[in-house]
Amino acid sequence: MATGAEVDLRTRLQNWLPKLVLSPSLAMIFVFVYGFILFTVYVSFTDSRILPFVDKNGQTTYELIGFSNYEKLFSLSHWDISVMNMAIYAGLYIVICTFIGLLLAILLDQKIRGEGFIRPIFLYPMALSFIVTGTAWKWMLDPAIGFENIVQGWGWTTFTFDWIKNRDFAIYTVILAAVWQSSGFTMAMFLAGLRGIDTEILKAAQMDGASNWNLYRRIIIPQLRPAFLSAFVILAHLAIKTFDLVIAMTGGGPGRATELPATFMYSYTFSRNQMGIGAASAVIMLMTIAAIMIPYLYSELRERKS
Amino acid sequence: MSIASQDAGIRTGRVARTFIYLVLLLFALFYLLPLYVMLVNSVKPLSEITGGGMMSLPQVWTLEPWAKAWSTAQIGVEPTGLRPYFWNSISMVVPAVAISTILGALNGYVLTKWRFRGDTILFGLMLFACFIPFQIVLIPMAAVLGTLGLSGTTAGLVLVHLVYGIGFSTLYFRNYYAVFPTELVRAAQIDGAGFFRIFWRILLPSSGPISVVCVIWQFTNIWNDFLFGASFASGDGAPMTVALNNLVQSSTGVKEYNVHFAGAILAALPTLLVYIVAGRYFVRGLMAGSVKG
């Protein structure tokens, strides 16, 4: 009898063990991700300015103020500029990365000699920190020592290239560095897509005398739809998260010319002591990313099931 | 070029091929340019850079900027160089990568071989956690680290990176184990092997490649992180990226571009080395993180 009970206990333990093993990770995710999200949402409805939330006497340092932070946020020109910059930045970043990525993938797919040598060169920027990338581009674009100075040294003394110091153009220099960093990665996504295309259809079309141009336009590129979708989702979410690159290159300046929502959130929360507004801006960022990621992840997980 | 290989793909003429190689070469130069600039300017005296020679090879070669960036440059208020921060990063990355990879492997194992009701939803919740903008957790995390007395410490950053690294490590192992034959697991179960024994004896021995992918991905991500480092450990406990940024942005004294470039390479070196040694796995990790299908 005793052994029977023992076996019973063991099987019960074995049944519980998988869930037990999973539970610490789940607990961490629930507390540090979802719990924290709720917490930040809560903070966004308060007039909190700085940490901690409770002072030495056990008094809370904040009051609930409803949607005031959101109203204030949307009336701030600083936030307006950040959002506008994000629209320019994300739009161009996604379009240019997709274009360069697709172009390079198609070119690399032409049975290129030395592909194994070229591909890593296109991709290595992805392994670097944005701070490193930002530092390199910051000084290369700096009028005093970078391209402007070099071209002037060649004899073209009136040449100017001061975009990084120019309010109207600084955001484009950030786009340049960001494209440099992630276009190779986009190339890899498209290349994987190209390598997965059925060559039988291509052969048939070639037999019918289709030109290369038509082959790509009519048959190959339409088949890359999943790769386009992945590239869009990944690039969009990278764009919204962009923070380090701006800090390293321009610090948000000149003026506010390169402020993005992420830098806005950081400065309102940690240096301007306007934590409630910082929290509200973080909530807006999360909602934007969720609007892109949730449908994507949902469809990915559903596909795998079927 | 053999007839067979031409038959299998797109046919291109001689002129077109020359053009293709030219475009590829130009892009290769574009991608290599910043690396070239960082390398050559890190080994030349400052006067050559300010004198308009950023693109030229050094006239005088010197390792002074490297030495300075490593051990004597002013970071914040102390002239310590980047060395202590490099070690901060190492002692942050190693435990965070190790623990998140082990947990990811176990999670992936449970989610594929010990399935239960609602496991896909739980996985979806873990997956979404990979993609949140981390701004949404900065405020509560700062409060929690402050309460635990971990603000500004490497231990605090290990906790942060561990928590936000689990999603990706679980993703990798789950997708890898999903195609691992479940029959082997069932057979071992019938033979009386338990949960951990099956993992240890059957799944783990064939988990080499995905472990490498996961370790490289986590290593690169955590090493390169700036947001958490800047938010929770900007002082003595700062990681390498934060220290590099402090070095480059410091507004006092002459801007020593050559030291900045040497520092940038120092900060890039670990991930760059990993990329050179195991780039294949790095790319696999990138792809698995984006194209989940």
Side-chain angles (χ1 to χ4, degrees):
Chain A
M1 281 309 272
T3 49
E6 219 170 72
V7 167
D8 192 41
L9 190 70
R10 260 198 67 179
T11 37
R12 282 215 342 236
L13 190 68
Q14 283 291 337
N15 285 339
W16 275 100
L17 207 48
K19 285 168 194 159
L20 209 63
V21 165
L22 196 61
S23 55
S25 302
L26 283 178
M28 279 198 269
I29 297 277
F30 276 113
V31 172
F32 288 96
V33 176
Y34 296 98
F36 278 13
I37 288 175
L38 291 178
F39 193 96
T40 304
V41 171
Y42 180 74
V43 173
S44 77
F45 291 123
T46 70
D47 61 357
S48 308
R49 303 182 76 83
I50 46 168
L51 289 171
F53 296 105
V54 180
D55 67 15
K56 281 187 210 106
N57 309 320
Q59 300 279 314
T60 51
T61 56
Y62 62 86
E63 269 172 61
L64 280 168
I65 52 165
F67 281 92
S68 300
N69 284 328
Y70 292 90
E71 278 166 30
K72 225 181 280 171
L73 180 70
F74 289 119
S75 70
L76 283 171
S77 68
H78 196 156
W79 174 252
D80 255 13
I81 294 169
S82 309
V83 172
M84 278 306 292
N85 282 338
M86 177 49 69
I88 298 172
Y89 173 83
L92 284 175
Y93 169 72
I94 293 170
V95 168
I96 298 173
C97 277
T98 307
F99 176 77
I100 292 179
L102 183 61
L103 175 74
L104 292 180
I106 289 175
L107 295 185
L108 266 185
D109 200 34
Q110 310 299 320
K111 304 208 183 332
I112 292 302
R113 236 174 282 177
E115 187 200 320
F117 179 73
I118 300 173
R119 215 180 30 202
I121 294 177
F122 291 176
L123 263 163
Y124 87 90
M126 229 22 219
L128 299 183
S129 143
F130 277 115
I131 299 293
V132 172
T133 305
T135 303
W137 283 100
K138 177 190 174 79
W139 294 142
M140 278 162 51
L141 296 166
D142 191 272
I145 58 162
F147 296 131
E148 179 177 304
N149 186 27
I150 292 155
V151 175
Q152 285 179 355
W154 291 341
W156 183 359
T157 49
T158 55
F159 177 82
T160 49
F161 185 65
D162 61 348
W163 282 17
I164 198 164
K165 303 267 185 203
N166 184 322
R167 276 165 190 268
D168 297 328
F169 293 103
I171 189 73
Y172 301 102
T173 63
V174 183
I175 296 173
L176 172 66
V179 166
W180 177 82
Q181 180 121 0
S182 22
S183 47
F185 171 39
T186 324
M187 179 277 296
M189 286 200 258
F190 282 119
L191 197 58
L194 284 171
R195 297 275 148 93
I197 285 178
D198 184 9
T199 50
E200 291 301 312
I201 309 170
L202 294 186
K203 272 188 206 158
Q206 274 176 333
M207 298 255 244
D208 289 346
S211 67
N212 283 351
W213 169 249
N214 274 330
L215 220 53
Y216 273 102
R217 202 165 58 104
R218 298 272 169 88
I219 299 175
I220 298 179
I221 292 179
Q223 285 200 54
L224 290 177
R225 259 189 57 182
F228 273 102
L229 183 65
S230 301
F232 172 78
V233 170
I234 297 300
L235 291 172
H237 119 274
L238 283 177
I240 295 168
K241 283 175 150 181
T242 301
F243 172 73
D244 336 12
L245 192 58
V246 171
I247 297 294
M249 282 182 78
T250 62
R256 292 169 182 171
T258 52
E259 288 282 358
L260 294 178
T263 57
F264 174 96
M265 187 276 168
Y266 192 85
S267 66
Y268 269 73
T269 306
F270 292 114
S271 36
R272 288 167 181 253
N273 299 339
Q274 300 260 21
M275 209 160 61
I277 293 179
S281 66
V283 171
I284 303 285
M285 288 178 69
L286 176 73
M287 288 182 355
T288 316
I289 286 193
I292 299 167
M293 289 311 296
I294 289 177
Y296 178 70
L297 294 179
Y298 183 72
S299 69
E300 290 263 330
L301 285 176
R302 263 176 70 103
E303 268 169 38
R304 304 173 111 266
K305 251 185 163 175
S306 59
Chain B
M1 185 149 285
S2 71
I3 294 167
S5 75
Q6 281 207 344
D7 221 35
I10 306 289
R11 286 172 213 138
T12 41
R14 193 175 284 258
V15 180
R17 287 198 82 74
T18 316
F19 182 71
I20 289 171
Y21 278 102
L22 202 69
V23 174
L24 288 175
L25 187 73
L26 282 175
F27 270 100
L29 291 177
F30 168 65
Y31 289 115
L32 285 174
L33 184 67
L35 189 63
Y36 167 81
V37 167
M38 284 194 281
L39 279 172
V40 294
N41 288 296
S42 71
V43 289
K44 63 171 77 151
L46 187 58
S47 58
E48 285 186 36
I49 302 176
T50 49
M54 187 189 253
M55 291 296 154
S56 339
L57 287 169
Q59 285 156 347
V60 181
W61 293 75
T62 168
L63 284 176
E64 193 91 348
W66 283 72
K68 193 160 186 193
W70 180 246
S71 52
T72 61
Q74 187 97 7
I75 313 281
V77 284
E78 300 282 340
T80 56
L82 291 167
R83 183 171 45 193
Y85 304 97
F86 190 89
W87 297 118
N88 283 350
S89 272
I90 296 277
S91 52
M92 163 186 85
V93 163
V94 172
V97 170
I99 301 171
S100 67
T101 303
I102 292 167
L103 285 177
L106 287 168
N107 294 345
Y109 169 51
V110 172
L111 288 170
T112 52
K113 302 303 170 215
W114 299 85
R115 302 196 55 173
F116 53 89
R117 271 180 76 88
D119 61 352
T120 310
I121 291 174
L122 287 178
F123 176 61
L125 287 172
M126 293 179 97
L127 200 54
F128 180 65
C130 298
F131 298 98
I132 57 167
F134 291 123
Q135 280 76 16
I136 198 75
V137 297
L138 285 185
I139 294 168
M141 191 49 121
V144 166
L145 290 178
T147 312
L148 296 175
L150 290 175
S151 0
T153 66
T154 301
L157 284 183
V158 170
L159 174 70
V160 174
H161 286 298
L162 166 62
V163 168
Y164 301 110
I166 285 179
F168 266 118
S169 60
T170 303
L171 164 70
Y172 288 141
F173 282 99
R174 179 193 184 261
N175 287 0
Y176 188 79
Y177 290 151
V179 290
F180 187 90
T182 306
E183 298 78 44
L184 286 180
V185 176
R186 294 290 161 258
Q189 243 183 319
I190 291 164
D191 289 346
F195 177 83
F196 284 111
R197 206 180 155 80
I198 294 172
F199 178 66
W200 191 255
R201 286 289 184 81
I202 298 179
L203 280 107
L204 211 54
S206 64
S207 303
I210 198 65
S211 305
V212 176
V213 167
C214 184
V215 165
I216 289 180
W217 173 265
Q218 299 284 9
F219 176 82
T220 309
N221 258 3
I222 298 173
W223 182 276
N224 287 343
D225 162 71
F226 177 75
L227 180 63
F228 288 138
S231 306
F232 307 134
S234 48
D236 288 343
M240 191 66 174
T241 47
V242 175
L244 171 65
N245 190 53
N246 287 346
L247 170 70
V248 176
Q249 309 293 347
S250 73
S251 46
T252 50
V254 187
K255 281 203 169 66
E256 295 182 292
Y257 305 109
N258 49 358
V259 177
H260 299 174
F261 284 124
I265 299 176
L266 283 170
L269 215 51
T271 53
L272 217 48
L273 279 179
V274 165
Y275 180 71
I276 291 166
V277 173
R280 210 158 45 89
Y281 292 99
F282 175 70
V283 176
R284 259 181 68 178
L286 272 178
M287 303 305 286
S290 58
V291 195
K292 277 158 295 304

